[in-house]
């Protein structure tokens, strides 16, 4: 057996390798980054290059990231022999603010960022922030369709695209990035939207590859310096701290390298080799089961059917006495007959025929193509119908005088006010009321006690929204919407 001596000598003989800490990567990212999905993205990108002849100044990448009032302390020089030593942080649990950043492939245009605060008003939050930056609010602090539409208007004011001078925006395929209003706005201003495959931003998103990492590190350093003179970091300080870090990191080299690394510009469809897809091939299932294999003669076994004596050999799992007696009765004798096949005793399971709502499988697509307009119109009509039905249900329940519904794990206690909500909620009926009291009694408490987005348990001071399609619950901060009115989760929205 190889021991420690062999290991250390092996490292000495091979200077090109060393002991390194791997970057944690989820199974979804590993399996999603496969050759089929990546080739589809490059085919769409090549199609747009041939049609519009984009230059590097007209190719942009946009993505959201989060900054928090609780920073991660940077590495410090400390004394030997002490296993741990502390560093000052602003709080134990910070408040997250979403920032939307965008730059082009030439590195000559960094669109001023957009801040989304978890509040209802942006009073004094923009103090000493980046020049020409945009500030907005949502209850959760996350982006949604309306806020992305506002960013799109901000992008148009800065870049000034047109039908004669179109631009390409590469972004992820989150549902908040497309709606009928966004589609019409892009068509009128010459903006082409191309999405990357799902769960591949760690390999194809320029902002994630070269910009957000150094940006977060610079932001945490600014937070450490700030805490040397002040007690804590508040949401009113984030814009100024982000501005200092952003001005240091927003360089031409990082933008150019971000587009060059995945082969977007200059265009290189062979940037990723077979070795890059080995991990995804290992996690791709290859075994399938036919729904009715007994109807296919090729699926039947060619060996003789085993007898009962061979089936019930020593060491094999035994069958219940009732099954053996039934076989004996059918055969007309007191003992089982050898003509009974093993398939009768142990039938091959078939896939379930129950209808399960599954989210539509996503891929790289050109969102501004004409066929997508009809799909967006249909989705908009469905949402409007759900909204109208929800309003009518609220009116009926308010007339009956029923009390507001609570999440099952709350033991029917009143919801507390949201920390960021500045105006009093409507006292007539709770926004989370979406079903009758009888329906709550039929639910499984174990499954309903956890958020469908973050899979975290309930907390006393948080609102919960319920999807009107699948009837599952989600934290208000996890839902990504401002109101529970007609709320449909991301798993049912596609």
């Amino acid at each position: 057996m190889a021991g420690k001596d062999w290991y250390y000598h092996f490292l000495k003989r091979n200077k090109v390798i060393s002991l390194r800490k791997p970057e944690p990567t989820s199974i979804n990212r590993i399996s999603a980054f496969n050759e089929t999905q990546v080739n589809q993205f490059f085919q769409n990108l090549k199609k747009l290059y041939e049609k519009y002849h984009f230059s590097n100044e007209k190719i942009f990448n946009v993505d959201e990231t989060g900054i928090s009032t609780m920073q991660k302390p940077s590495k410090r020089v400390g004394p030997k022999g002490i296993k741990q030593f502390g560093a000052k942080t602003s709080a134990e649990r910070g408040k997250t603010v979403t920032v939307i950043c965008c730059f082009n492939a030439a590195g000559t245009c960094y669109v001023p960022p957009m801040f989304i605060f978890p509040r209802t008003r942006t009073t004094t939050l923009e103090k000493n922030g980046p020049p020409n930056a945009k500030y907005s609010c949502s209850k959760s602090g996350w982006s949604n369709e309306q806020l992305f539409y506002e960013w799109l208007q901000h992008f148009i004011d800065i870049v000034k695209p047109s039908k004669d001078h179109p631009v390409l925006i590469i972004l992820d395929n989150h549902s908040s990035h497309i709606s009928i209003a966004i589609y019409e706005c892009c068509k009128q201003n010459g903006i082409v939207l191309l999405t990357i495959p799902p769960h591949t931003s760690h390999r194809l998103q320029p902002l994630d590859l070269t910009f957000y990492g150094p940006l977060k590190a610079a932001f945490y350093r600014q937070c450490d310096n700030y805490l040397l003179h002040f007690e804590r970091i508040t949401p009113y300080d984030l814009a100024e701290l982000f501005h200092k870090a952003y001005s240091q990191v927003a360089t031409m080299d990082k933008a150019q390298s971000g587009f060059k690394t995945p082969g977007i510009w200059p265009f290189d469809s062979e940037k990723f080799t077979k070795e890059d897809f080995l991990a995804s091939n290992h996690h791709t299932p290859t075994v399938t089961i036919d729904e009715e294999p007994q109807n296919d003669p090729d699926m039947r076994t060619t060996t003789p059917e085993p007898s009962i004596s061979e089936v019930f050999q020593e060491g094999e799992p035994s069958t219940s006495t009732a099954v053996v007696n039934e076989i004996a009765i059918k055969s007309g004798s007191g003992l089982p007959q050898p003509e009974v096949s093993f398939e009768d005793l142990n039938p091959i399971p078939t896939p379930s025929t129950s209808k399960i709502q599954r989210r539509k499988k996503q891929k790289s697509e050109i969102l501004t193509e004409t066929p997508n307009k009809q799909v967006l119109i249909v989705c908009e009509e469905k949402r409007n119908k759900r909204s109208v039905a929800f309003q009518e249900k609220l009116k009926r329940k308010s007339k009956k005088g029923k009390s507001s519904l609570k999440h099952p794990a709350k033991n029917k206690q009143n919801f507390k006010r949201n920390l960021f909500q500045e105006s009093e909620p409507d006292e007539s009926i709770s926004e989370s009321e979406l079903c009758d009291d009888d329906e709550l009694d039929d639910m499984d408490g174990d499954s309903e006690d956890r958020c469908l987005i973050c899979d975290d348990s309930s907390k006393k001071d948080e609102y919960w929204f319920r999807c009107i399609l699948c009837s599952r619950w989600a934290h208000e901060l996890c839902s990504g919407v401002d109101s529970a009115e007609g709320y449909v989760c991301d798993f049912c929205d596609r």
Side-chain angles (χ1 to χ4, degrees):
M1 297 294 290
K4 291 184 178 180
D5 293 340
W6 178 90
Y7 170 73
Y8 290 122
H9 285 86
F10 176 79
L11 292 179
K12 289 183 180 180
R13 293 192 302 270
N14 299 271
K15 301 293 184 180
V16 294
I17 62 175
S18 62
L19 187 64
R20 300 182 59 185
K21 182 179 180 180
E23 180 181 357
T25 307
S26 65
I27 296 179
N28 289 336
R29 290 183 179 272
I30 294 175
S31 59
F33 188 76
N34 55 69
E35 189 172 4
T36 303
Q37 294 283 1
V38 174
N39 288 341
Q40 178 68 32
F41 168 73
F42 280 110
Q43 289 175 7
N44 292 334
L45 185 61
K46 182 179 180 181
K47 176 182 176 181
L48 295 176
Y49 283 165
E50 294 175 348
K51 182 177 180 180
Y52 295 99
H53 304 285
F54 291 115
S55 62
N56 56 354
E57 296 180 351
K58 300 296 183 180
I59 305 173
F60 291 83
N61 176 228
V62 60
D63 190 28
E64 300 92 352
T65 188
I67 58 175
S68 176
T69 55
M70 187 192 71
Q71 89 287 6
K72 295 180 180 179
S74 57
K75 293 183 178 181
R76 310 285 179 89
V77 177
K80 291 184 178 181
I82 299 178
K83 188 174 183 180
Q84 294 181 348
F85 65 98
K88 184 179 179 180
T89 58
S90 178
E92 293 183 358
R93 182 179 180 183
K95 299 176 182 179
T96 303
V97 175
T98 299
V99 183
I100 303 179
C101 298
C102 179
F103 57 43
N104 65 356
T108 57
C109 180
Y110 276 79
V111 179
M114 176 178 176
F115 294 83
I116 303 175
F117 291 90
R119 298 177 64 91
T120 56
R121 291 194 297 268
T122 58
T123 306
T124 68
L125 289 172
E126 62 271 14
K127 180 182 177 182
N128 298 330
N132 300 323
K134 186 173 180 61
Y135 302 87
S136 188
C137 291
S138 69
K139 286 186 178 181
S140 64
W142 291 8
S143 178
N144 52 41
E145 293 179 2
Q146 181 180 356
L147 293 175
F148 187 76
Y149 180 80
E150 293 180 10
W151 177 88
L152 202 59
Q153 297 293 335
H154 172 64
F155 175 83
I156 294 172
D157 295 338
I158 300 298
V159 181
K160 301 186 184 304
S162 63
K163 293 183 179 180
D164 297 331
H165 301 87
V167 298
L168 171 64
I169 298 181
I170 299 174
L171 69 171
D172 58 41
N173 54 2
H174 195 270
S175 58
S176 63
H177 290 161
I178 190 61
S179 66
I180 188 63
I182 296 175
Y183 177 89
E184 295 292 349
C185 180
C186 293
K187 281 294 186 180
Q188 294 174 4
N189 295 276
I191 299 176
V192 182
L193 300 180
L194 173 64
T195 64
I196 61 176
H199 306 295
T200 59
S201 59
H202 64 296
R203 302 297 298 271
L204 295 176
Q205 186 93 269
L207 282 165
D208 286 343
L209 290 172
T210 60
F211 185 71
Y212 280 153
L215 177 65
K216 292 290 185 66
F219 176 75
Y220 293 147
R221 288 196 298 268
Q222 294 297 331
C223 292
D224 290 338
N225 297 334
Y226 183 85
L227 290 177
L228 294 176
H229 308 283
F230 300 94
E231 289 295 328
R232 62 178 55 86
I233 300 173
T234 66
Y236 300 94
D237 307 319
L238 289 179
E240 181 178 0
L241 297 175
F242 183 86
H243 178 206
K244 295 178 181 179
Y246 189 81
S247 59
Q248 296 176 2
V249 179
T251 61
M252 183 181 296
D253 294 337
K254 283 186 172 55
Q256 293 178 353
S257 177
F259 282 88
K260 183 179 180 180
T261 301
I264 296 177
W265 184 272
F267 180 77
D268 186 7
S269 60
E270 299 180 355
K271 186 70 175 181
F272 301 102
T273 61
K274 297 289 186 180
E275 288 75 10
D276 296 316
F277 303 116
L278 288 178
S280 63
N281 295 335
H282 177 71
H283 285 83
T284 302
T286 57
V287 179
T288 58
I289 300 177
D290 195 349
E291 294 186 0
E292 296 182 356
Q294 63 274 13
N295 296 333
D296 188 358
D298 296 334
M299 295 295 294
R300 292 184 178 273
T301 179
T302 56
T303 58
E305 296 178 347
S307 62
I308 294 298
S309 59
E310 295 174 347
V311 171
F312 300 109
Q313 289 180 353
E314 184 179 358
E316 294 291 334
S318 61
T319 311
S320 63
T321 308
V323 176
V324 179
N325 294 337
E326 183 180 357
I327 298 174
I329 294 172
K330 290 182 179 180
S331 61
S333 63
L335 296 175
Q337 298 297 322
E339 60 266 12
V340 180
S341 65
F342 184 75
E343 293 179 357
D344 296 333
L345 299 174
N346 188 16
I348 298 177
T350 58
S352 176
T353 58
S354 60
K355 294 183 179 180
I356 302 177
Q357 291 184 351
R358 299 183 183 276
R359 192 173 183 177
K360 181 181 177 182
K361 188 175 181 180
Q362 295 177 318
K363 60 182 180 179
S364 173
E365 58 181 343
I366 304 173
L367 297 179
T368 51
E369 280 188 335
T370 304
N372 289 337
K373 181 178 181 179
Q374 188 62 32
V375 178
L376 295 174
I377 292 176
V378 173
C379 293
E380 191 71 18
E381 291 177 352
K382 290 182 178 179
R383 290 183 182 180
N384 293 335
K385 290 180 180 179
R386 290 196 297 263
S387 178
V388 171
F390 177 78
Q391 291 293 339
E392 293 178 353
K393 193 170 186 177
L394 288 182
K395 292 179 180 179
R396 293 194 303 268
K397 290 185 177 294
S398 60
K399 291 180 180 179
K400 294 179 180 180
K402 288 189 175 182
S403 60
S404 301
L405 297 181
K406 289 85 185 174
H407 187 274
K410 305 295 183 180
N411 296 323
K412 296 193 175 181
Q413 297 177 355
N414 293 328
F415 285 110
K416 295 184 178 180
R417 282 186 57 196
N418 189 280
L419 297 178
F420 308 117
Q421 187 175 358
E422 297 183 358
S423 59
E424 290 293 334
D426 186 6
E427 296 180 357
S428 61
I429 192 166
S430 173
E431 285 185 338
S432 60
E433 182 174 356
L434 293 173
C435 65
D436 295 329
D437 292 333
D438 296 336
E439 296 176 353
L440 290 177
D441 297 334
D442 297 334
M443 293 179 181
D444 184 4
D446 295 336
S447 61
E448 296 296 330
D449 192 29
R450 311 191 72 85
C451 173
L452 65 91
I453 304 297
C454 67
D455 196 33
D456 194 6
S457 60
S458 60
K459 296 178 181 178
K460 294 182 180 180
D461 56 350
E462 290 181 333
Y463 282 103
W464 286 72
F465 292 167
R466 189 182 182 193
C467 176
I468 62 177
L469 295 183
C470 64
S471 300
R472 292 184 293 175
W473 294 83
H475 291 127
E476 180 187 21
L477 298 180
C478 297
S479 64
V481 297
D482 296 335
S483 174
E485 179 180 337
Y487 169 61
V488 178
C489 66
D490 292 340
F491 299 99
C492 301
D493 193 27
R494 285 282 179 173

